[in-house]
Amino acid sequence: MSRIIKTSTPGKEREHLSKAIVITVRNFMRQEKSDAETGDMVAFVILALHEIFIGIEQSVVAWEKRGYWVKADKYRMEWQWTAEKSSILLEAFEKLDWSLITTLLIEIMQKFSNLKVSDHHRMGKPWLGANLHLSKLKESINN
């Protein structure tokens, strides 16, 4: 049996999710009216922010094992906004408060302002089906 080599790290996943969020919010802002795809976009941003937060915790655990507590706490505080925005966005999405959702998405885009994502990316539409995943996640949490 051969070794299993994990090529994906929390940092790479965070970078990928961050770019996907930028692409999703750009497309959200281009829409003229809300539809099923709009719901998928918002759900994707909620899920992606949650995944980024989980990845931060994985990175921090490795640093804490080595005794880098100050670095770990600083990094955790730097990315704490992902969990906060994710929960606020989820509440707004459940209420279908589109003005608050739009405001939150603009704030999230400002956090990723240093990312450069080409309009000719190869990610496709990462948000497709995200609303279903979000529903399943909420259902599993409630059970």
Side-chain angles (χ1 to χ4, degrees):
M1 186 177 276
S2 64
R3 288 185 348 184
I4 297 174
I5 299 172
K6 185 176 178 184
T7 59
S8 180
T9 64
K12 286 181 184 177
E13 289 176 20
R14 183 172 48 256
E15 181 78 15
H16 180 76
L17 287 170
S18 298
K19 288 181 179 182
I21 288 172
V22 170
I23 291 165
T24 303
V25 174
R26 279 184 192 166
N27 282 284
F28 177 88
M29 295 301 175
R30 289 180 187 142
Q31 288 195 321
E32 295 175 8
K33 60 181 181 174
S34 62
D35 57 9
E37 194 171 3
T38 309
D40 277 346
M41 290 176 180
V42 177
F44 176 77
V45 173
I46 294 167
L47 292 169
L49 289 174
H50 182 71
E51 285 298 315
I52 288 172
F53 181 72
I54 290 170
I56 296 300
E57 287 301 312
Q58 291 171 350
S59 297
V60 166
V61 166
W63 290 339
E64 288 177 336
K65 286 181 182 176
R66 295 186 192 113
Y68 298 125
W69 297 289
V70 174
K71 181 178 181 178
D73 286 342
K74 182 179 176 186
Y75 201 66
R76 196 178 274 129
M77 287 189 306
E78 181 182 334
W79 286 94
Q80 181 63 37
W81 67 269
T82 57
E84 294 165 1
K85 294 292 183 195
S86 177
S87 66
I88 295 169
L89 191 56
L90 177 59
E91 288 177 26
F93 186 49
E94 288 174 344
K95 296 175 185 175
L96 296 177
D97 185 350
W98 293 108
S99 62
L100 179 58
I101 290 170
T102 304
T103 303
L104 289 167
L105 291 177
I106 291 169
E107 290 174 10
I108 290 166
M109 278 295 281
Q110 290 172 348
K111 296 285 189 178
F112 295 121
S113 63
N114 59 340
L115 277 180
K116 303 293 181 225
V117 183
S118 171
D119 285 337
H120 304 292
H121 58 82
R122 290 187 241 164
M123 286 189 183
K125 294 182 176 182
W127 59 83
L128 291 179
N131 207 353
L132 180 63
H133 289 291
L134 182 63
S135 298
K136 288 180 181 178
L137 178 67
K138 288 190 314 190
E139 186 177 301
S140 68
I141 291 171
N142 291 335
N143 290 334

